[in-house]
Amino acid sequence: MRKAGQTVVGKAIATIFFGALIVSFAIWGIGDIFRATPASTVAEVGDTTITVNQTRNAYTNELQRLGRQFRTVISPEQARAFGLDQQVVNNLVTDAVLAEKAREMGLSVSDQLVAASIVNNPAFKGADGQFNRALFEQALRNVNLSEAGFVQEQRSAMARLHLAEAVAGNINVPLAAREALNRYSTERRAAAYLLLTAAMAADVPAPTAEQLQTFFNERKSAFRAPEYRAVTAMSLDAAALAKPDTVSEADARARYEQQKAKYGSPERRTIQQITFPSQAEAEAAANKLKEGATFESIAAERNVSPQDLELGTFTRAEMLDQAVAEAAFSLEQGAASAPIAGRFGPVLLRVTQIQPEAVRPFEEVAAALRQEVASERAQGQIERIHDEIEDLRAGAKPLADIAKEKGLTLVQVPAVDANGLDKAGKPVNLPETNAVVKAAFASDIGVDNEALRTGTGYVWYDVTGIEASREKNLDEVRDQVATQWREDQVAQRLAEKARGLTERLEKGEAIEAVAQEAGATVKTATDLARNAAKDDLTAEAVNRIFAVPVGKAGHASNGPDARAVFKVTSATVPPLVTSTQQAQNAENQLRTGIGDDLINQYIAQVRQDLGVTINQQALRQATGGEL
């Protein structure tokens, strides 16, 4: 079913704070109890309800995040195949479980902690490392949240984090676990070895017709012709619709003022602040300043230390509280303000230093500003044109006719396989190739496919033909089959020879004598580490050396056409020194794993205690599944 529109998630801050925890939470299923719930409710967790809109926003945001991560567009069909809808609702349920428990326990977060977390959030800092209000407001627009709503989300996320830390914080990692990890990661081995190469397999005669036919019959599936599909695609890109000449100078200047930090150094002020519990006390302090008291003496009366007195150095845009920002940037250097009704209570301010702005003039950046504004405006046109195209497609108008009517480019590919290659094995040229190919192979001829959302627009596609996968006959692939038959024969001969040499080493023969008879050279490898290739040994061969006791022999594949025969000569494990940075890192790794396990178990129990119900019909509605 088509989705009416695309929105983004209002849960960004929870992701910032939970990070790896959310990934670990995803292992818990959601099928606790299923019963009918209102159509607007996807899930109920205790007294908390998760709505269709909440779920739709979270699902859309996760689709876009995965698209950015893998640099492709994830189609709804692929998302459902990956179980993304279940993962998203499970994450929302997990948030609700922790929030319910936090409320039950009376956990709360102060205004000061919330404000500090926002100001110190790297996502809201500019190139100079300071809080940038323009970035903050842009982030709010992106997630479709008001400032008050964002603060509430932040407060809730911090409360959940505090609960998680109470459950799994400051875990004592057992010494036995640290020693086991130390042994696995720091053990080093040495081995004497020889390599058997393809040349040592002796001459492999050409296969007979019967041998080749038998070999082919046993492996027909490996020589199948892939399925090919004919695909037609049309893209709508915001950048192509942008018209910088239509952006007025006033609009460009407004954007310039908003983003001055991008073009140099805006004015910065170093500000001191004293907070008061009431307006009356702030007024009394202001009167003392007028009578000659110093700002420092007022701070001392309030038990504000010199360090706490310093609010910091900011541009106007970097300040979270706009009332405070307006007052601070209207003061002369050294002057104190009148009482200001700040977001977190009345305050007095003093500006101790002013750094004048030094930015590139508007004229130098006007063209780039107009392009930026025009591109943003084009997004609105994108949605309008998208809707118009959808109306045309709903009327069964061919994609080629729509492209001609709208002045868009139509790309037609006569044959492409699931890997994006044509019949000659070359990559095809399609807009958003990977995403379109994946979606096309999940569709069919005549299906009214949903447009794929890209970073700057949409791509429509139709499957116009399907050439089914088929078995090739031997004559079509004779050379390939003959080559693979020979490689298989060489591998079998080398494996058989390696087994014989290993048995001789196990019986006590010297590796030098065995190697001389095999026509190979004995080599020595030292300081071998797990999962790491060394010298001419592959990682696969090295790992096999770690699987054999010291003094014993073995053999392993060493690339596509060679085999290693070895004898383990030594193994060393350095003692665990708990004071080193490496040991601390290993302990932290174990602590994280144990903590995740504890959190998972805790959440599972709380889910059971609270009771969780899922409305699968509402979930399908939220994620665009079939009803």
Side-chain angles (χ1 to χ4, degrees):
M1 178 180 290
R2 291 185 179 277
K3 290 180 288 190
Q6 299 285 344
T7 57
V8 292
V9 72
K11 303 289 292 180
I13 198 66
T15 302
I16 294 172
F17 278 92
F18 276 94
L21 289 179
I22 291 300
V23 176
S24 67
F25 295 162
I27 68 171
W28 293 98
I30 63 166
D32 298 282
I33 304 172
F34 297 97
R35 67 168 183 257
T37 55
S40 61
T41 299
V42 171
E44 293 180 352
V45 183
D47 294 331
T48 299
T49 60
I50 298 171
T51 67
V52 167
N53 284 338
Q54 283 178 279
T55 308
R56 181 182 293 118
N57 289 346
Y59 180 75
T60 304
N61 183 73
E62 187 64 8
L63 276 178
Q64 294 175 345
R65 186 190 68 78
L66 290 173
R68 291 190 298 268
Q69 178 181 345
F70 296 108
R71 297 183 179 180
T72 187
V73 178
I74 309 296
S75 71
E77 293 79 10
Q78 292 170 324
R80 283 189 285 275
F82 297 154
L84 187 65
D85 51 349
Q86 303 295 329
Q87 293 177 26
V88 166
V89 77
N90 182 67
N91 288 345
L92 292 174
V93 166
T94 296
D95 282 355
V97 164
L98 291 174
E100 281 274 316
K101 195 65 178 177
R103 282 195 294 271
E104 178 185 319
M105 299 174 67
L107 296 180
S108 62
V109 181
S110 68
D111 291 337
Q112 288 76 12
L113 281 177
V114 174
S117 69
I118 294 174
V119 170
N120 295 323
N121 191 326
F124 306 141
K125 290 185 177 181
D128 56 0
Q130 299 295 318
F131 176 79
N132 187 306
R133 186 166 186 84
L135 288 177
F136 175 65
E137 291 176 345
Q138 180 62 47
L140 295 189
R141 288 193 293 270
N142 289 343
V143 296
N144 196 27
L145 273 179
S146 66
E147 189 169 321
F150 183 86
V151 169
Q152 181 56 41
E153 290 283 355
Q154 177 82 331
R155 192 187 307 277
S156 177
M158 292 179 72
R160 296 194 299 269
L161 178 62
H162 293 333
L163 176 57
E165 288 176 339
V167 172
N170 198 27
I171 293 173
N172 182 32
V173 180
L175 179 60
R178 287 181 279 163
E179 289 179 337
L181 181 59
N182 175 68
R183 170 176 288 277
Y184 182 84
S185 60
T186 64
E187 181 182 1
R188 296 294 180 264
R189 291 199 168 195
Y193 68 96
L194 59 96
L195 293 180
L196 302 179
T197 63
M200 298 178 185
D203 291 334
V204 178
T208 65
E210 183 180 352
Q211 287 175 317
L212 204 60
Q213 185 68 56
T214 300
F215 185 84
F216 173 72
N217 291 341
E218 293 173 349
R219 297 165 177 79
K220 278 187 176 182
S221 61
F223 300 100
R224 288 182 66 90
E227 178 181 322
Y228 288 99
R229 298 201 167 198
V231 180
T232 299
M234 176 186 73
S235 64
L236 176 64
D237 190 280
L241 297 178
K243 297 180 180 179
D245 293 342
T246 64
V247 178
S248 67
E249 181 173 337
D251 289 343
R253 284 190 179 276
R255 177 60 59 89
Y256 176 74
E257 293 297 328
Q258 186 184 40
Q259 299 183 352
K260 271 190 176 180
K262 290 173 56 177
Y263 307 110
S265 302
E267 180 183 340
R268 304 176 66 83
R269 295 193 170 206
T270 302
I271 303 165
Q272 295 178 328
Q273 175 180 282
I274 304 174
T275 304
F276 297 87
S278 67
Q279 184 70 18
E281 291 183 64
E283 294 285 357
N287 290 334
K288 289 182 180 180
L289 288 175
K290 293 177 182 178
E291 294 170 359
T294 65
F295 207 72
E296 288 78 8
S297 66
I298 298 296
E301 288 180 9
R302 305 295 308 170
N303 293 321
V304 178
S305 67
Q307 294 79 14
D308 293 337
L309 182 63
E310 299 295 331
L311 183 62
T313 302
F314 306 96
T315 66
R316 183 192 297 265
E318 290 170 348
M319 299 192 70
L320 182 61
D321 193 324
Q322 285 303 290
V324 174
E326 291 298 325
F329 277 79
S330 64
L331 292 173
E332 298 291 336
Q333 184 168 326
S337 71
I340 302 162
R343 173 176 297 175
F344 303 113
V347 297
L348 291 180
L349 306 176
R350 183 171 68 172
V351 175
T352 59
Q353 186 178 0
I354 298 176
Q355 302 172 21
E357 71 174 7
V359 298
R360 294 167 63 189
F362 169 76
E363 289 70 22
E364 287 186 16
V365 296
L369 285 166
R370 285 190 167 93
Q371 180 64 45
E372 182 179 317
V373 174
S375 295
E376 289 184 5
R377 290 177 178 176
Q379 288 296 332
Q381 298 179 43
I382 284 288
E383 299 306 323
R384 176 180 56 79
I385 298 174
H386 165 271
D387 292 345
E388 292 174 356
I389 291 174
E390 288 296 299
D391 289 341
L392 293 172
R393 282 176 62 79
K397 195 162 190 176
L399 205 56
D401 293 347
I402 296 174
K404 185 176 181 180
E405 179 178 328
K406 297 296 182 181
L408 301 174
T409 300
L410 188 75
V411 179
Q412 295 176 301
V413 172
V416 59
D417 67 16
N419 295 315
L421 304 177
D422 62 17
K423 290 187 175 182
K426 297 180 180 179
V428 299
N429 183 21
L430 282 167
E432 301 290 339
T433 301
N434 291 339
V436 170
V437 169
K438 289 178 183 177
F441 273 80
S443 183
D444 206 340
I445 297 173
V447 172
D448 184 18
N449 300 303
E450 181 178 358
L452 300 179
R453 189 74 162 92
T454 70
T456 56
Y458 293 90
V459 176
W460 287 265
Y461 66 95
D462 283 335
V463 178
T464 58
I466 297 178
E467 183 179 322
S469 174
R470 64 176 180 85
E471 289 185 353
K472 294 182 178 180
N473 59 52
L474 179 58
D475 290 338
E476 292 180 90
V477 291
R478 186 175 297 276
D479 290 343
Q480 293 174 254
V481 174
T483 299
Q484 190 167 324
W485 181 89
R486 186 182 187 286
E487 291 174 352
D488 188 68
Q489 290 294 307
V490 168
Q492 289 182 29
R493 292 187 180 199
L494 291 182
E496 183 177 348
K497 190 168 187 176
R499 280 193 295 271
L501 298 178
T502 300
E503 290 174 0
R504 292 172 59 184
L505 291 175
E506 285 288 90
K507 292 177 181 177
E509 289 191 49
I511 192 170
E512 290 78 9
V514 170
Q516 183 177 7
E517 184 176 325
T521 302
V522 176
K523 300 181 180 181
T524 300
T526 60
D527 198 34
L528 295 172
R530 282 184 173 86
N531 304 314
K534 181 72 182 295
D535 299 332
D536 51 6
L537 290 174
T538 65
E540 179 184 358
V542 170
N543 286 341
R544 181 60 187 161
I545 289 173
F546 274 85
V548 173
V550 175
K552 297 295 184 178
H555 62 93
S557 173
N558 195 64
D561 56 358
R563 203 155 189 92
V565 178
F566 59 85
K567 185 171 185 177
V568 182
T569 56
S570 69
T572 59
V573 180
L576 174 63
V577 181
T578 59
S579 59
T580 65
Q581 185 60 52
Q582 182 178 4
Q584 290 297 317
N585 292 341
E587 183 175 352
N588 291 336
Q589 179 184 348
L590 287 168
R591 182 175 290 109
T592 298
I594 296 171
D596 286 351
D597 287 343
L598 285 174
I599 286 291
N600 290 336
Q601 294 175 33
Y602 178 78
I603 290 174
Q605 184 61 52
V606 176
R607 285 173 65 115
Q608 182 177 338
D609 295 342
L610 290 174
V612 177
T613 62
I614 307 293
N615 185 329
Q616 291 292 334
Q617 182 177 358
L619 176 59
R620 288 192 293 271
Q621 176 185 344
T623 58
E626 294 297 328
L627 296 178

